[in-house]
Amino acid sequence: MKLGYTILYVPDVAQSVAFYQKAFGLTCRFITAEGDYAEMETGSATLAFASEELAESHGFEFTKNRADAPPAGVEICLICDDVPAAYAAAVAAGAQIKAAPQTKPWGQVVCYVTESNGILVEIATPIGV
């Protein structure tokens, strides 16, 4: 077993793609003609967005992510070498500060922001860096 996808249910896929491009420097590698699903270039695992309408078509309920609500009990983590610079870029793009960059006891530098839909994003150096 290996992780293939993390799919974030969002109200506006195109807006989410644009935000992740601006805030985190990611590139969109695929978006459907309908604009209800997109994938970002992130390395070996895929970060994707699905519209809430597409998610609802699966036939089960879910908690909607909203910028004005507490984040869900999950986070995505983006790895980079310069956390303070990535943090500054994300905040300049509109990400909301949750925790400024700090060095953890094990040496990893981490920070936390919420993105445009209220989803918690950790920005961190690789473990051991």
Side-chain angles (χ1 to χ4, degrees), residues 13-14 16-31 37-43 45-49 78:
V13 171
S16 296
V17 166
F19 184 84
Y20 276 68
Q21 288 174 325
K22 183 177 179 184
F24 305 117
L26 299 179
T27 301
C28 183
R29 74 171 171 211
F30 171 78
I31 189 164
Y37 178 83
E39 296 179 357
M40 307 300 286
E41 288 290 346
T42 59
T46 299
L47 176 62
F49 302 104
L78 300 173

Side-chain angles (χ1 to χ4, degrees), residues 9-10 33 44 46 67 98 105 113 128:
Y9 297 159
V10 298
S44 61
T46 299
K98 292 297 179 187
V113 297

Side-chain angles (χ1 to χ4, degrees), residues 6-87:
T6 296
I7 302 172
L8 307 175
Y9 297 159
V10 298
D12 186 329
V13 171
Q15 182 277 331
S16 296
V17 166
F19 184 84
Y20 276 68
Q21 288 174 325
K22 183 177 179 184
F24 305 117
L26 299 179
T27 301
C28 183
R29 74 171 171 211
F30 171 78
I31 189 164
T32 62
E34 300 81 12
D36 60 356
Y37 178 83
E39 296 179 357
M40 307 300 286
E41 288 290 346
T42 59
S44 61
T46 299
L47 176 62
F49 302 104
S51 69
E52 291 173 348
E53 292 80 15
L54 180 59
E56 288 167 347
S57 75
H58 299 317
F60 52 82
E61 292 185 32
F62 59 92
T63 301
K64 294 179 178 177
N65 296 299
R66 294 293 183 263
D68 61 352
V74 64
E75 69 183 59
I76 62 169
C77 180
L78 300 173
I79 302 295
C80 67
D81 292 327
D82 188 346
V83 170
Y87 171 79

